[in-house]
Amino acid sequence: MSLITVNELSKIYQVRNRKKSQKHSGIINSFKQFVSLHGKYQCITAVNNISFTIDSGDTVGFLGPNGAGKSTVVKMLSGILVPTSGSLEVNGLIPHRDRMNHALNIGVVFGQKTTLWWDLPLSDSFDLLQVIYEITPQEYRTTMKWLVDILELEPILDRPVRQLSLGQRIRAEIAAALLHRPPVLFLDEPTIGLDIAVKQRIRAALRELNQEWGVTILLTTHDLRDIEEICQKLIVIDKGQMIYNGSLANFREQFCENRVIRVAFKDLHSANKLAQELPPEVMHMEQNGIWVSLYYDHTKTSAADIASHVMNKYTLMDLVIEEPSIEKTVAELYRGEVR
Ligand SMILES: Nc1ncnc2c1ncn2[C@@H]1O[C@H](COP(=O)(O)OP(=O)(O)OP(=O)(O)O)[C@@H](O)[C@H]1O
Ligand SMILES: [Mg+2]
């Protein structure tokens, strides 16, 4: 049975129209615009009839362009928002109906918000969470040790949260979300604004948490490297509707037709020669000194065929077969060029 089941889920926000006054100008006008509510409602369909399931231990990348409805789904899964229609269940509970018990089942990290106590030293925030979640002292010690280790928190435990850098704070947020050992972790843009070294540390920690603890992960991000390095499954939504739901491997297989092999020659002469007489299946090439990148359509030929074609004629120094990046395809998907 699935750990998370989402069935024909929709969310419509109702927002009040604010009508502009034509008579006044300047600050008064702005103020009038701000306060004049005309009681007319506008409906915004943020999530439109989506269904999916997530199994225990899955790592799911949740993608979509700005305004697609991702955060709205994460908020409904977390029990913060009530769906307009449809149903959802997380670990046997309906999030918005059974919020207290549901909170014990999930960890949530919103990259742009903090759940920690701003003025308290980080370790005091953790101590408070121990009390809130009624974690036994022994369990607390074991879990803390693990999290401090994985997320490298030791040097910042005594620092007040307000003094932490963004990267330090996000690592602390992830620890806080997992202190009660929930089976599920929802992350909404956890790597936003982080430098590449911190991103890599967080990705490694999330992989470890999934592999060692079996934590199920649903990750929203605009950094596709996060998805490529952490997730095995992918859900893509656009304008509140599902446009892809499947494995990352399938996504590559189905949509990313272009692959690349990079070959390095002993001398520039051979590299130039290959550039002039490309194997027939190669669609396009780029040369950078002794390195030549050969782009091919994987539905028409294979890396092995191209490699053997080149190696029959030339002596190579190096050969690299690259996994296709999903970035180009995801951009095409957002533009509606592939569906
Ligand atoms: N509280 C709200 N009231 C009214 N409309 C909202 C509210 N929150 C979100 N929306 C609207 O719902 C739609 C989906 O927003 P949501 O924040 O879920 O998108 P998102 O996929 O998370 O986008 P982003 O990648 O920019 O974070 C947008 O059109 C947004 O303007
Ligand atoms: Mg969002």
Side-chain angles (χ1 to χ4, degrees), residues 66-67 69-72 112 188-189 220 222:
N66 288 128
K70 304 176 299 294
S71 297
T72 304
Q112 283 150 315
D188 195 354
E189 300 197 40
T220 286
H222 289 294

Short mmCIF file of all heavy atoms in Angstrom, two decimals, residues 66-67 69-72 112 188-189 220 222, ligand 2:
data_model
loop_
_atom_site.label_atom_id
_atom_site.label_comp_id
_atom_site.label_asym_id
_atom_site.label_seq_id
_atom_site.Cartn_x
_atom_site.Cartn_y
_atom_site.Cartn_z
N ASN A 66 7.16 28.51 -11.96
CA ASN A 66 6.63 29.38 -10.91
C ASN A 66 5.11 29.46 -11.02
O ASN A 66 4.58 29.60 -12.12
CB ASN A 66 7.20 30.82 -11.05
CG ASN A 66 8.66 30.90 -10.68
OD1 ASN A 66 9.47 31.41 -11.43
ND2 ASN A 66 9.01 30.38 -9.53
N GLY A 67 4.45 29.34 -9.88
CA GLY A 67 2.98 29.46 -9.85
C GLY A 67 2.26 28.21 -10.30
O GLY A 67 1.03 28.21 -10.44
N GLY A 69 1.67 25.51 -8.66
CA GLY A 69 0.83 24.92 -7.61
C GLY A 69 1.57 23.99 -6.67
O GLY A 69 0.96 23.33 -5.83
N LYS A 70 2.89 23.95 -6.77
CA LYS A 70 3.68 23.00 -5.96
C LYS A 70 3.54 23.27 -4.47
O LYS A 70 3.22 22.37 -3.69
CB LYS A 70 5.18 23.07 -6.35
CG LYS A 70 5.44 22.82 -7.81
CD LYS A 70 6.89 22.99 -8.16
CE LYS A 70 7.46 24.38 -7.91
NZ LYS A 70 6.90 25.44 -8.76
N SER A 71 3.79 24.54 -4.07
CA SER A 71 3.72 24.85 -2.63
C SER A 71 2.31 24.60 -2.09
O SER A 71 2.14 24.18 -0.94
CB SER A 71 4.12 26.30 -2.37
OG SER A 71 5.46 26.49 -2.74
N THR A 72 1.31 24.86 -2.93
CA THR A 72 -0.08 24.62 -2.50
C THR A 72 -0.27 23.13 -2.20
O THR A 72 -0.89 22.77 -1.20
CB THR A 72 -1.06 25.11 -3.59
OG1 THR A 72 -0.77 26.48 -3.87
CG2 THR A 72 -2.49 24.96 -3.16
N GLN A 112 12.11 29.17 2.51
CA GLN A 112 12.03 30.62 2.72
C GLN A 112 11.43 31.00 4.09
O GLN A 112 11.26 32.16 4.37
CB GLN A 112 11.20 31.26 1.61
CG GLN A 112 12.02 31.36 0.34
CD GLN A 112 11.15 31.27 -0.90
OE1 GLN A 112 10.28 30.44 -1.00
NE2 GLN A 112 11.40 32.16 -1.84
N ASP A 188 10.27 22.20 0.63
CA ASP A 188 9.85 23.15 -0.40
C ASP A 188 10.98 24.15 -0.64
O ASP A 188 11.23 25.03 0.18
CB ASP A 188 8.57 23.87 0.05
CG ASP A 188 7.89 24.59 -1.10
OD1 ASP A 188 8.47 24.64 -2.21
OD2 ASP A 188 6.78 25.12 -0.91
N GLU A 189 11.69 23.96 -1.72
CA GLU A 189 12.83 24.79 -2.11
C GLU A 189 13.88 24.93 -0.99
O GLU A 189 14.21 26.04 -0.58
CB GLU A 189 12.36 26.16 -2.58
CG GLU A 189 11.43 26.06 -3.79
CD GLU A 189 11.27 27.37 -4.52
OE1 GLU A 189 12.28 28.07 -4.67
OE2 GLU A 189 10.14 27.68 -4.91
N THR A 220 10.59 19.83 -3.54
CA THR A 220 10.29 20.85 -4.54
C THR A 220 11.51 21.72 -4.73
O THR A 220 12.13 22.15 -3.75
CB THR A 220 9.10 21.70 -4.03
OG1 THR A 220 7.94 20.93 -4.15
CG2 THR A 220 8.94 22.95 -4.82
N HIS A 222 13.81 24.37 -7.87
CA HIS A 222 14.01 24.82 -9.25
C HIS A 222 15.42 24.45 -9.71
O HIS A 222 15.80 24.75 -10.83
CB HIS A 222 13.79 26.33 -9.37
CG HIS A 222 12.34 26.70 -9.22
ND1 HIS A 222 11.38 26.33 -10.15
CD2 HIS A 222 11.67 27.35 -8.24
CE1 HIS A 222 10.20 26.77 -9.76
NE2 HIS A 222 10.34 27.39 -8.59
MG MG B 2 6.39 27.47 -4.22
#
